[in-house]
Amino acid sequence: MTGPCTFQFLNQQKDLEFPDGWSDSENSGLWNYNLHYFEDLNANESESRLEWHVDLLNSWLDHNPVGSSPAWDSYPTSLRIVNWVKWAINHKDEFTDLMRANLAQQGRWLSQKLDYHLLANHLWANAKALVFAGCYFQGKESDAWLEKGVRILLQQCDEQLLKDGGHFELSTMYHSIVLEDCLDLLQLDQVYPRLIPKPLIEEVSFRVGAALDWLVAMSHSREEFAFFNDSALGTAPTLVKLEDYAKAIGVRVSDSAGDGITWLSESGYIRLTQEPVSIICDVGHIGPDYQPGHAHADTLSFEMSVLGSKLIANSGISTYEPGVEREFQRSTRAHNTVEVDGENSSEVWKSFRVARRAHTYDLEVDEAADTITITCSHDGYERLPGKVTHRRLWELTRNQLSITDRLIGSFNTASARYYLHPDASMEIETENRYKLLIGDTFLLFEVIAGKAFIEDAEYYPEFGVTQASKCLRIEFTSDTVESVISWH
């Protein structure tokens, strides 16, 4: 909240008039959802907005009857329950009997409206909310909410939290959200000791360390994680925030990823580091087959950073609204990989749908002396008339990264793209030879095979934000393109 009736979500600030403002159709669905989350109750410096919050809570009670949409949709109800419980614990005098009764009604409603049709992070959020409501209230009904929430979370820990620590939707953003949920559950156990069954706390405690390590491997710095699948900053906490939270409640925190290979085999990501450079490669499938809603057509894409600053970065996301922008941001064309005949490697469509998907195979990882190599293929283009296989080789040494793409099969056009982060600059030195600058580091980008073009591009670091950037597109003039990025 930036005023009594002024709100900023997704980097869009709006002045609302209530009661109509609670469900204004001029706002995007996600913006309206954010309004009903009540995140600001527990945000930075929230105590200075206490009077606004009390008025807002009372307005919500007056104008959002049970079952109305979007207020009572299962996902915003889940996030709101958690935020109301947190606020109620810290504001016992301001949390009135009417508010408490409505919170109980939200728990009752949610327990019958779980997102089993969506599953994944939605069902996880539902279950977490039932645990929060079940802990806050006392009685047989709330005990049933707690029992149901615990049962679902125990099931979903095995389903959603992979052995390498990653969240199974393979989005760094949603991984961070679910990791924060885990830390919330551990802190809730400290607030209500011995109320949450021990098996859940033991399971979550066991998973949290690996989840933190996973995010270390998938972050270029403690303030910026890599963009794979639906990922953007400003919505989920970054590594530094999660580490601070973990330390505050007694959870161990590991050091940064060191030189060499970090292979997240269950997730399908590999991090290679040879100081000052790190690259993070996507060599896995796009996500769970039954719920790939947050997946992008980014197979065999990668990101590269120098001293923790992104140099080559996938484009990110700025919207979930259906349309041209959403379609582009999920497309192969928006990522640092190869597009064949203008097609996506996986058939992403609408806002959260995927038809035929790329699958990776023949993955090889090798570390010898000062050279680390990864080779991998995918079958996403084998559905095309030319039955094309894309095979990519990354080779990282102490002072250079080479990327070789080979297409096996017949095609009309194909391009490999490298999107520069907006903080990086590029100068043409000679034909197919470019000078890159990120921070104080100069690098040389040479195109060994293929024809290069510099194109204007856009970068989407947060919802509602678009920044100008550059893309180096390398057109295939044979079945192979090869590039080398070198530094001193």
Side-chain angles (χ1 to χ4, degrees), residues 345 357-361 377-383 388-390:
S345 56
R357 301 98 192 258
H359 298 89
T360 55
Y361 62 96
S377 301
H378 79 79
D379 63 3
Y381 297 124
E382 291 181 13
R383 70 179 190 272
V388 176
T389 297
H390 173 207

Side-chain angles (χ1 to χ4, degrees), residues 268-326:
Y269 295 114
I270 301 177
R271 178 193 183 103
L272 306 183
T273 299
Q274 296 269 41
E275 288 294 343
V277 164
S278 292
I279 65 171
I280 303 172
C281 307
D282 181 359
V283 294
H285 303 324
I286 65 171
D289 283 339
Y290 63 84
Q291 179 45 292
H294 291 294
H296 289 197
D298 60 358
T299 305
L300 300 189
S301 183
F302 77 104
E303 291 197 343
M304 175 180 179
S305 58
V306 179
L307 295 174
S309 297
K310 281 190 183 183
L311 174 66
I312 296 172
N314 291 319
S315 295
I317 54 171
S318 65
T319 182
Y320 279 167
E321 292 300 296
V324 173
E325 193 169 37
R326 175 68 173 157

